[in-house]
Every structure is written in structure tokens, then in C-alpha cells.
Amino acid sequence: MNDLLKNKLAVLPDQPGCYLMKDRQNTIIYVGKAKVLKNRVRSYFTGSHDGKTQRLVSEIEDFEYIVTSSDIEALILELTLIKKHDPKYNVMLKDDKSYPFLKVTAEKHPRLLITRKVKKDKGRYFGPYPNAQAANETKKLLDRMYPLRKCSTLPDRVCLYYHLGQCLAPCEFKVEDTVYRQMTDDIARFLNGGFKEVKSDLQKKMESASENLEFERAMEYRDQINHIEATMEKQKMAMNDFTNRDIFGYSVDKGWMCVQVFFIRQGKLIERDVSLFPIYDEPEQEFLTFIGQFYMEPNHFKPKEVLVPSQIDAELAEKLLEVHVRQPVRGQKKDLLQLAEKNAKFALLEKFSLIERDENRTIKAVEQLGEAMNIHPPLRIEAFDNSNIQGADAVSALVVFIDGKPAKKEYRKYKIKTVQGPDDYASMREVIRRRYSRVLKDGLPLPDLVLIDGGKGQIEAAREVLEDELGLDLPLAGLAKDDRHQTSNLLFGSPLEMVPLSRRSQEFYLLQRIQDEVHRFAITFHRQLRGKNSIQSVLDEIPGIGPQRKKKLLRHFGSVKKLREASLEEVVSAGIPPMLAEEIVKKLKE
């Protein structure tokens, strides 16, 4: 522990608040909350911890804190800070699920639609449904029973839906507002659990029609009853009431937490959500942070009621979520809560072997690579590769690996601007200069290791820019390849020497993955650029082909390859005059 940490730990306040842990580059790597800042922050630097917490503590070089007036303020502030800084040791929920809803529009002539976006547009939304099939089945049933319009814009004559009895044809006949109001209210009643009542009404109508010898009408009622049974009653009821609720259960083991959420909608268990992540705080506190983040996601709608385990501070959770939070002690709700906890426990056990294998390939490989090179564990590695053919369309690519895994959102492509001809050293100097000038200007995180896919000359070219021009002292290494273009040696130091690595070690396999990835990324970019430039240069030679027609051709055929393979008739069909199309085909064949 450095002197700065010791001094700051000595004067921590005895108050609730949030703390922000920083690494040696002053990057925020973890945000936490505490009922008592003094006790919680000091606990990281005393006693023993599991492996992942030790890794967190080993990276902490500084921290800051914000005092709050209450626990709930600390919790809300923590969620805000995590969203703002996206620290690498905090869990950021990224739920890409989007559940379908049924929507009755608020138009003059309302429609029943399936949508995955809930907007404040005065429409009435029902759901969510577990999948598109369930929503479609329910919509088909309602379309048979309640003939709202189907067309997005009113046509000038009746359509097939009118003849099928599934539309009132407001395009041709006047429909009173009271009729629409009754139908939309019936749909709402049906979807809010009243389908049994609707089924009973249909049963009576069917019997009445049969007694009056209206057998065709009776058959229509019978079919509607059958559709209700097939669509609405094939799922076993999860609850006796129709309250929408989410049920949270969790399990903790070996510093990891698994949370299972059961979604109960209209009395049915429609879906579950599983999240597994490492924790660095008390489980109850981590759980409160989790549910706070959970409902910040746009696809997670707060239900009327949330059930949580007994060890959670329900009052604090209720203030945070602004919904009813319950902790059942008996009955069906308690059974479902225990079932969620049981599922969480089994999911956690199942994942441990996979987690251990993944950590061996990633974070442990990073630590072992740092030991072999005698540097800090290179948790952030940035790798560069150049690509050109005899100097044409020269490009460079950057890939970023964080904790041994590719961070694809941080990949970058560079067109070489200042170099004429095949000069790999000058190209490397340009791209290193552009990358790290931007890093310094924008305050971006510096890498723990810069890797160059090349030999001594390219490494020294990169070193010239980093050290002599930019004044950066970053670990810089090169990846050499053998005659078969396979990863061969890691060059490091000044002067450069080979770092001895076992060809069967995880750290060597990590370097292979990085080298293969940066090479793939560079080659892909070069091919895209070369293909685009070659087709444009050929088309530029043809009189009558301007920017608009070039765009038109590429948009129509989708790729350069398909345009080259196109026949004269196919080029004409793209809207090109026959004589010009003939010239295009001739040029491309050449």
C-alpha cells in the first residue's frame, strides 16, 4: 500500500456514501457504496480475500469518496456513478432482450398491434409476452373476436378482412365511437385476466343460438371458445391472482452471485432472467445494486409487486424501486421465491467449471505474461498491424484486449495518409503517432502493453514516436512469425531480446489469439478498401458514370463481386441505359 492510500484511509469519515477506486492511470475501476465509509473502504486493505478481489486491490493506487446523507442516497448515487464511468470491475447489465407487447392504438379508428417498444402515445399496452409466437397467437384470437381495422391507412374500398368478419370497414361505413370504446374495453378486460368471463359469455350465446336453430352462429361461438382454450389456457397458472410481479432469488458462492428473476404476468410465469457475476461487497448490498440496475434497463418494466428474499432490506428496496416490495413467509409466493433461489444455486454450480477454464485462458494468462516480461499484468493490451500490397491502399489496424478478451468496440482502422510506397516503418510511425496523440488529447486510458505485429525495425519505429516524440514510457513488444506465418517469438526490452515462453502455455496462446485477431482485422479492412477503390477507378474511366450512378450500381448489386459477375440485362435492370450498360460490362470483364 502506498503512502497516499495510507494517509487517506486514516481520515475516512464515519458516514454513508460512495467510493471510487482508481488504478495507476487514474482510471476509475470500481464504484461501491457503504453504510459506513471508514469501515467498508478499509476492509479492502485488511484481512484475506478471494483471488478476484485480490486482483482488484492490487490495481488500486488511489480512491475518492462522496458522503451522502442516507443509505438510499448512497445506493442511488452508486447506480449513477456506475452508469457514468462504466468501471471494469462493476457489473453493467446489458440486456438486449426486447419482449413483445400487444397494443391498442389511440387513433380515431383503433388497431391492435404487436410492438416491442412502449411509448407515451396514449395507446394501451398489454404484456410483455415471452416470445413473438405467444403474442401472435393471442392477437389472432382477438382479431377473430374484435374486428378492429387492420390497414395502416384507410383504403378506398372494403378489403378481405371485412369479408372475413375481422374488420368493421370504417373506410366505407361509419363506426360510432361507443362501438370502438366497448371493443377496446373488452380487449383490455380479456387480456387482464377476464378471458374466462368472456368464454362463459360465449358459452351462453352458443347455447342460445343452438336453441334458436341458428347453427351456423352457434358454430362460430364454438370456434371462438376453442380458440380461447387453445391460446389462453394451455399454460399452467402460476398464481391465483392476476397481479404482475417479479420474483428475485439469488445464491452466492466463492465470491460470485447468481440472480434468477421470474416474471409473472397475468397469473402466468412467462419468462425468467439469469445473471451471473463476481461481487466485491456484501451480498445483500450487491443485490440491491443489481435490482437498481435491472430496472434502469429500458426493456425491464416495473411490475406492481416485487418479491425478494428475507435477508434483503425491503424498505430500502421499496424506496429505490418505488413499487411494492414483499417478502413472503408462506404459501405459493414463498414456494416460487425458494424455486428462484434453488435455480440460482444450481446455475452457479454449473458455471464454476466454465468460469475457471475461461479465467485460465484470460486473466491468469495475462498475469503470467506480465511475470514473464517482468512488468505489471498487462490488463489492457493494444496491438497494431499494417497491411498493403506494394504500397497500394496502405492501412493499419488496432485491436484492444482487456483482461485477456477482445474489446471490439475499441478496435480502430487507419488509412495511411503521409506515406508513399511500401514503407512499413514510416507507416508504423504514422499510426502510433495518430493513436497516442489522440489518447493523450482525449484523456483515454493508456495501455499496459503495446504489441507490434512485426520485427525489430517496426518495434524501434514505434519506440521513436512513443518515447522521443510523445514522452510516453509504455511497455512495447513485438510479435515475430516463423516461415509458416505462425506466432514464433515475443521480442521485448532495450535492446530487444526474446522472452522465453512455453509454446503450450496459456500466455503464448493469448499472444497467438491477439496476433491472429489484429492480422484478420487489418486484412479485412485492406480488402474492403482495395475492392472499393478498384471498382471506383474502373467506373471513373467510363464516360457517363458519375457519383450517383456509381452509388446506384453498388446499392443495386450489393457488392463489387456481384457487379463484375452481372450480365448486360442485369446491369440494364439496375436503371442503366443499354449502351452505357454494355460499356460497363465490357470494362469490368477487362
Side-chain angles (χ1 to χ4, degrees):
M1 194 191 312
N2 60 40
D3 291 338
L4 175 65
L5 284 174
K6 289 178 182 177
N7 293 333
K8 292 181 95 169
L9 288 172
V11 295
L12 277 165
D14 191 6
Q15 296 288 326
C18 289
Y19 51 91
L20 300 89
M21 302 299 197
K22 300 180 178 182
D23 64 10
R24 64 179 181 274
Q25 295 177 8
N26 209 37
T27 301
I28 295 170
I29 57 175
Y30 184 68
V31 172
K33 63 183 173 307
K35 292 182 178 180
V36 180
L37 280 167
K38 178 176 66 176
N39 297 344
R40 182 65 196 135
V41 177
R42 287 178 180 176
S43 71
Y44 285 95
F45 304 95
T46 57
S48 60
H49 302 289
D50 54 53
K52 59 184 180 42
T53 306
Q54 286 176 0
R55 279 197 296 274
L56 165 62
V57 174
S58 70
E59 290 187 51
I60 299 172
E61 296 288 329
D62 191 8
F63 69 85
E64 61 180 89
Y65 60 86
I66 302 169
V67 173
T68 61
S69 58
S70 66
D71 294 350
I72 186 65
E73 278 188 20
L75 179 52
I76 293 171
L77 177 60
E78 179 197 36
L79 297 174
T80 304
L81 292 172
I82 290 173
K83 191 169 185 178
K84 178 181 178 182
H85 297 292
D86 191 13
K88 69 177 187 178
Y89 281 104
N90 285 98
V91 179
M92 281 293 288
L93 292 178
K94 295 178 176 64
D95 184 10
D96 57 358
K97 281 187 179 179
S98 124
Y99 297 105
F101 286 76
L102 286 177
K103 172 185 177 182
V104 177
T105 65
E107 300 165 288
K108 180 180 179 182
H109 304 290
R111 292 176 292 159
L112 180 66
L113 307 174
I114 294 175
T115 180
R116 291 180 184 269
K117 293 182 179 179
V118 176
K119 302 176 181 178
K120 293 181 178 179
D121 56 4
K122 298 183 180 179
R124 300 169 76 173
Y125 292 85
F126 305 91
Y129 288 83
N131 51 55
Q133 183 182 355
N136 274 314
E137 286 178 358
T138 307
K139 183 180 182 298
K140 285 179 184 177
L141 170 62
L142 292 170
D143 284 341
R144 293 187 184 103
M145 298 171 60
Y146 304 106
L148 296 178
R149 75 178 172 106
K150 307 295 182 292
C151 307
S152 56
T153 57
L154 289 180
D156 55 6
R157 67 186 70 181
V158 297
C159 63
L160 179 61
Y161 287 111
Y162 171 74
H163 296 293
L164 292 173
Q166 294 185 23
C167 180
L168 295 176
C171 54
E172 193 158 324
F173 308 108
K174 184 178 180 181
V175 183
E176 298 293 339
D177 291 344
T178 53
V179 175
Y180 282 139
R181 196 177 305 117
Q182 182 63 50
M183 288 171 63
T184 55
D185 286 346
D186 286 347
I187 289 172
R189 180 167 59 101
F190 184 95
L191 292 174
N192 286 327
F195 62 87
K196 288 188 175 181
E197 186 180 338
V198 174
K199 178 185 165 185
S200 178
D201 290 343
L202 289 172
Q203 187 80 29
K204 292 175 184 176
K205 289 180 180 178
M206 180 183 72
E207 292 169 358
S208 176
S210 181
E211 288 174 4
N212 294 329
L213 305 182
E214 297 174 348
F215 299 117
E216 193 170 332
R217 177 61 60 86
M219 288 173 64
E220 289 177 4
Y221 290 136
R222 182 202 62 190
D223 291 342
Q224 289 185 349
I225 292 168
N226 290 339
H227 287 312
I228 290 175
E229 290 175 346
T231 304
M232 304 303 291
E233 295 188 348
K234 64 183 178 183
Q235 280 187 297
K236 185 180 178 182
M237 297 294 287
M239 307 294 291
N240 294 326
D241 61 12
F242 295 97
T243 300
N244 289 346
R245 56 172 59 89
D246 291 346
I247 302 175
F248 288 83
Y250 72 85
S251 181
V252 175
D253 193 10
K254 300 175 185 175
W256 287 78
M257 174 179 280
C258 178
V259 180
Q260 299 244 350
V261 190
F262 289 166
F263 300 102
I264 307 293
R265 298 294 181 268
Q266 298 160 31
K268 299 181 182 67
L269 174 59
I270 67 159
E271 183 66 283
R272 73 165 177 168
D273 185 279
V274 183
S275 298
L276 183 94
F277 48 90
I279 60 173
Y280 304 91
D281 203 339
E282 295 301 317
E284 295 77 13
Q285 298 302 312
E286 293 278 8
F287 177 80
L288 285 169
T289 300
F290 174 87
I291 60 172
Q293 285 185 287
F294 188 83
Y295 289 113
M296 288 170 69
E297 288 295 310
N299 297 322
H300 290 155
F301 300 93
K302 291 180 185 176
K304 188 175 181 181
E305 185 176 276
V306 169
L307 306 187
V308 299
S310 58
Q311 60 268 34
I312 299 303
D313 186 336
E315 185 179 350
L316 191 59
E318 194 163 278
K319 288 179 182 177
L320 173 67
L321 301 181
E322 297 180 344
V323 298
H324 294 302
V325 176
R326 302 285 182 262
Q327 295 171 306
V329 294
R330 65 179 68 86
Q332 197 176 18
K333 293 179 185 178
K334 177 67 173 177
D335 292 342
L336 280 169
L337 186 62
Q338 288 178 334
L339 185 61
E341 291 175 329
K342 186 177 181 180
N343 274 273
K345 181 179 180 180
F346 284 125
L348 204 54
L349 291 172
E350 183 183 351
K351 289 288 184 181
F352 273 137
S353 59
L354 297 175
I355 292 167
E356 187 176 352
R357 188 184 309 166
D358 185 56
E359 284 203 336
N360 283 334
R361 292 179 69 251
T362 55
I363 191 69
K364 288 184 181 176
V366 167
E367 291 172 351
Q368 289 161 1
L369 179 62
E371 289 174 9
M373 299 177 70
N374 197 27
I375 62 174
H376 282 287
L379 300 173
R380 182 186 180 91
I381 299 174
E382 298 190 356
F384 296 85
D385 187 20
N386 295 335
S387 180
N388 67 76
I389 295 180
Q390 298 179 340
D393 298 318
V395 300
S396 188
L398 159 70
V399 301
V400 180
F401 274 59
I402 298 176
D403 293 341
K405 297 178 182 178
K408 296 195 174 184
K409 288 185 178 179
E410 302 205 37
Y411 286 14
R412 295 293 181 268
K413 303 171 183 176
Y414 299 90
K415 291 182 185 178
I416 301 302
K417 299 177 179 178
T418 63
V419 181
Q420 299 296 323
D423 188 339
D424 277 348
Y425 301 160
S427 295
M428 184 57 66
R429 278 192 286 268
E430 177 186 324
V431 74
I432 292 292
R433 184 180 299 114
R434 287 167 62 185
R435 169 61 180 171
Y436 294 107
S437 295
R438 171 58 64 88
V439 166
L440 291 173
K441 179 183 175 183
D442 294 348
L444 302 175
L446 288 164
D448 301 304
L449 174 63
V450 178
L451 281 179
I452 304 298
D453 187 3
K456 292 184 178 180
Q458 288 180 310
I459 299 169
E460 294 303 339
R463 195 191 307 277
E464 285 176 26
V465 176
L466 287 173
E467 296 181 2
D468 299 341
E469 291 186 30
L470 302 177
L472 289 174
D473 183 18
L474 299 175
L476 174 67
L479 291 169
K481 291 185 177 180
D482 59 22
D483 295 338
R484 291 176 295 173
H485 210 64
Q486 300 294 317
T487 304
S488 172
N489 295 311
L490 176 67
L491 301 173
F492 180 64
S494 184
L496 290 168
E497 295 180 353
M498 278 197 319
V499 178
L501 295 175
S502 167
R503 295 297 182 90
R504 295 187 175 182
S505 66
Q506 288 296 336
E507 53 269 35
F508 185 78
Y509 294 147
L510 172 63
L511 292 175
Q512 276 188 325
R513 291 197 298 275
I514 294 173
Q515 188 170 34
D516 290 346
E517 179 68 352
V518 71
H519 184 66
R520 177 200 66 78
F521 194 51
I523 288 293
T524 302
F525 180 41
H526 181 256
R527 285 173 179 163
Q528 290 171 347
L529 196 62
R530 190 180 70 209
K532 181 180 176 183
N533 288 345
S534 65
I535 189 67
Q536 286 185 342
S537 61
V538 172
L539 292 176
D540 285 339
E541 296 172 7
I542 305 171
I545 297 290
Q548 294 303 318
R549 277 190 171 145
K550 278 192 290 186
K551 285 182 183 177
K552 191 175 185 179
L553 283 165
L554 292 173
R555 189 162 53 240
H556 181 85
F557 289 99
S559 70
V560 174
K561 183 174 182 291
K562 289 183 179 178
L563 178 55
R564 287 187 184 279
E565 295 170 351
S567 66
L568 176 62
E569 292 77 14
E570 288 171 328
V571 176
V572 171
S573 71
I576 304 298
M579 291 183 65
L580 187 55
E582 192 174 340
E583 186 65 21
I584 291 171
V585 171
K586 179 182 173 183
K587 278 284 185 184
L588 289 177
K589 296 299 181 190
E590 291 172 1

